[in-house]
Amino acid sequence: MNKLLRLWTFTAALFLFSAGQTLKAQFLMDMVDTTKDVGKGILSIYKKYDHIRISGYMQPQFQAIQTKGAKSYSGGDFAPNVDNRFMMRRGRLRIDYIHFSDTKKPSVQFVFQFDGSEKGFFTRDFWGRIMENNTKLFSFTAGLFARPFGYELNLGSGDRESPERGRMSQSLMKVERDLGAMVSFEPRERTNWLKYVKLDAGVFNGPGLTATADYDSYKDFISRATLKPYPLQKNLSLSAGLSYFNGGLIQGDKYYYTLSSENGQKQFTIDSAQTNIGRKLPRKYYGIDAQLKWKYKNGGATELRAEYWRGTQTSSAATSETPAAVFSTDAYYARQFNGAFFYLLHSFDSHNQLGIKYDWYDPNTKLSGDEVSTASGSHAGDIRYNTLGMGYIHYFDENLKLVAWYEFIKNETTALDGYTSDIKDNVLTLRLQFKF
């Protein structure tokens, strides 16, 4: 651990005073805003190059973890005999096409993005959007795209300060995207309060990219109401959002566990009725988030982000991750969960940034500590995790940035074998991002 901290400190100090670019954030399903300089610039590129824009980034990185073969949500589990590794975390190439109407307004947008690494090539986005140009209020999107839930989930990996999304995001909505259709209310070219409002509502398959096809006929309804950055003062802005997810999955076998209390003892009880097979099991989430940002004259900024989720998740005994297939032999477990993400970011100028991130994920809020035991019928999928990350981000220019990030990961101490104390799985990430 001391070696990892010394390496992190050395790297941060080495680049502290280098040069860089203005800090920006990009959301996965952002609309082209023709009222802003960035949006106008993008549209000019589309027009110049026959309405096509090609962009991308790659993220080679080095990681070190405390224990060989440790399980990790920071880029995936380490191999059995490995406690350090080089890897290509992401290699994205994105192609955008926009068609303009006779009135020179964008009417149709098409996006294709894939991810390439040493693990292979995978489709990440493949969607089309129709933009309504009479009132300039609505759009319709269909295909494979990001679910409209939460703030961190929709912040692009090329622009997010921490190397990875939180454990809760990765467990409940792995890879963020799904096949579906969505209607959006997002006023364009407005000068009144409506320009700060965005509403999304969509219907999705459910499994996302964890499965090659939908495995049941149940669909997920996902919606989000967003307040875009609103100026409270000259240099202070507030943004916020409310998210709702109502979905489910088919029960493949008859065994279904829920938590109950008998004689003061909490334990999982089984429902094994044959009629359980084929019914819909719940996945229901609620989310709220807010962001405050102070900007300074020298190009620096301070930003505070807070996000909270809670709800019901159905999964397996060993994990709370959304199932990628119908269980044929494993039992289903329903749990009440909650979790949160907090960011404190400070940019000294347009080149150097420090960040602190704290997140927790409690997959079973009804059990804690020694209540998580074989006596209560608990498993690894009931254990709470807290993660404190901190790091330095250096923006050399608009095409290159360095991230040095260290995460302190602490699991709940329980009465389960293997989890009676904290697992040694703190991880250091050193990443370069090349972008065009």
Side-chain angles (χ1 to χ4, degrees):
M1 176 176 171
N2 290 334
K3 290 182 179 179
L4 298 184
L5 285 174
R6 284 199 295 269
L7 183 56
W8 178 89
T9 304
F10 170 77
T11 307
L14 181 64
F15 292 95
L16 186 57
F17 299 104
S18 303
Q21 70 157 20
T22 302
L23 308 179
K24 300 175 183 176
Q26 179 69 37
F27 291 92
L28 296 176
M29 295 300 293
D30 271 354
M31 182 78 75
V32 176
D33 189 345
T34 58
T35 66
K36 297 181 179 179
D37 291 338
V38 173
K40 293 176 181 177
I42 291 175
L43 290 180
S44 69
I45 293 174
Y46 285 133
K47 292 177 181 178
K48 183 177 180 180
Y49 296 102
D50 195 24
H51 304 174
I52 293 177
R53 177 175 181 259
I54 301 175
S55 61
Y57 63 87
M58 58 181 286
Q59 296 176 334
Q61 67 183 30
F62 173 80
Q63 288 185 306
I65 201 164
Q66 288 180 293
T67 306
K68 290 183 178 180
K71 295 183 180 298
S72 177
Y73 278 76
S74 297
D77 298 343
F78 282 69
N81 298 310
V82 175
D83 62 5
N84 66 84
R85 64 189 179 190
F86 285 99
M87 66 184 299
M88 181 64 69
R89 182 60 185 95
R90 297 175 182 89
R92 301 287 175 86
L93 183 65
R94 172 170 166 153
I95 301 172
D96 289 66
Y97 170 82
I98 282 193
H99 173 73
F100 292 85
S101 66
D102 294 337
T103 58
K104 307 302 181 183
K105 299 296 183 182
S107 59
V108 175
Q109 181 182 7
F110 169 84
V111 172
F112 172 65
Q113 181 178 207
F114 70 83
D115 182 25
S117 71
E118 70 274 20
K119 299 176 182 178
F121 289 87
F122 306 93
T123 302
R124 284 294 176 260
D125 287 289
F126 211 163
W127 52 267
R129 173 185 282 151
I130 302 170
M131 287 169 270
E132 175 271 321
N133 281 315
N134 290 326
T135 63
K136 300 181 179 65
L137 295 176
F138 299 96
S139 66
F140 174 79
T141 306
L144 175 63
F145 58 97
R147 300 173 173 105
F149 190 97
Y151 183 89
E152 188 194 56
L153 192 74
N154 277 276
L155 186 59
S157 295
D159 298 279
R160 188 182 57 252
E161 297 78 13
S162 63
E164 305 297 334
R165 293 178 176 87
R167 182 181 295 260
M168 179 168 61
S169 296
Q170 295 188 50
S171 297
L172 302 181
M173 284 179 273
K174 198 170 187 177
V175 200
E176 308 88 53
R177 296 159 172 87
D178 201 354
L179 278 162
M182 177 176 72
V183 175
S184 299
F185 173 83
E186 186 175 10
R188 310 189 301 277
E189 300 183 3
R190 293 294 177 118
T191 58
N192 57 13
W193 63 272
L194 284 174
K195 68 180 181 180
Y196 298 108
V197 175
K198 182 182 180 184
L199 302 175
D200 296 307
V203 179
F204 299 83
N205 274 346
L209 295 182
T210 60
T212 56
D214 200 359
Y215 51 68
D216 61 30
S217 295
Y218 301 120
K219 296 294 178 278
D220 297 339
F221 173 77
I222 310 174
S223 62
R224 176 171 169 81
T226 303
L227 172 67
K228 297 180 182 181
Y230 181 83
L232 299 177
Q233 298 177 3
K234 182 179 180 180
N235 298 316
L236 174 62
S237 62
L238 168 69
S239 57
L242 294 172
S243 302
Y244 175 67
F245 181 111
N246 191 338
L249 56 130
I250 191 171
Q251 182 166 348
D253 63 18
K254 64 180 181 179
Y255 301 108
Y256 179 67
Y257 285 87
T258 56
L259 193 67
S260 62
S261 180
E262 295 182 10
N263 300 321
Q265 177 68 36
K266 297 177 182 178
Q267 62 181 33
F268 279 99
T269 56
I270 188 172
D271 177 357
S272 57
Q274 193 68 30
T275 55
N276 289 343
I277 298 176
R279 69 174 177 171
K280 182 180 180 180
L281 299 179
R283 290 177 64 206
K284 186 174 289 188
Y285 317 150
Y286 306 88
I288 184 171
D289 61 84
Q291 303 79 39
L292 275 173
K293 187 171 185 178
W294 293 263
K295 295 183 179 180
Y296 308 121
K297 294 181 179 179
N298 67 345
T302 299
E303 185 170 2
L304 177 63
R305 300 177 192 159
E307 184 167 1
Y308 175 79
W309 298 5
R310 69 172 183 86
T312 303
Q313 170 73 346
T314 299
S315 54
S316 67
T319 178
S320 63
E321 292 186 5
T322 299
V326 178
F327 296 163
S328 57
T329 57
D330 292 344
Y332 291 86
Y333 282 71
R335 302 177 175 99
Q336 302 295 312
F337 74 88
N338 69 23
F341 318 103
F342 298 95
Y343 284 79
L344 176 59
L345 306 167
H346 180 72
S347 305
F348 295 95
D349 47 35
S350 59
H351 316 312
N352 302 288
Q353 184 180 43
L354 291 178
I356 298 175
K357 175 185 175 181
Y358 171 73
D359 70 82
W360 89 74
Y361 175 44
D362 188 348
N364 191 338
T365 58
K366 303 299 183 182
L367 295 176
S368 62
D370 288 343
E371 291 177 333
V372 182
S373 64
T374 55
S376 64
S378 304
H379 298 81
D382 297 289
I383 299 173
R384 171 177 169 146
Y385 286 82
N386 301 278
T387 303
L388 175 64
M390 56 184 65
Y392 167 70
I393 304 99
H394 176 72
Y395 299 81
F396 293 91
D397 54 39
E398 63 181 7
N399 302 114
L400 178 63
K401 78 173 181 179
L402 167 81
V403 178
W405 197 268
Y406 191 86
E407 288 182 320
F408 301 88
I409 303 163
K410 185 173 179 58
N411 58 273
E412 183 179 22
T413 56
T414 72
L416 289 177
D417 290 342
Y419 298 95
T420 56
S421 61
D422 184 43
I423 297 173
K424 303 302 180 183
D425 54 356
N426 295 349
V427 62
L428 166 73
T429 301
L430 300 176
R431 174 185 293 175
L432 281 173
Q433 177 176 291
F434 302 86
K435 188 176 184 179
F436 71 94

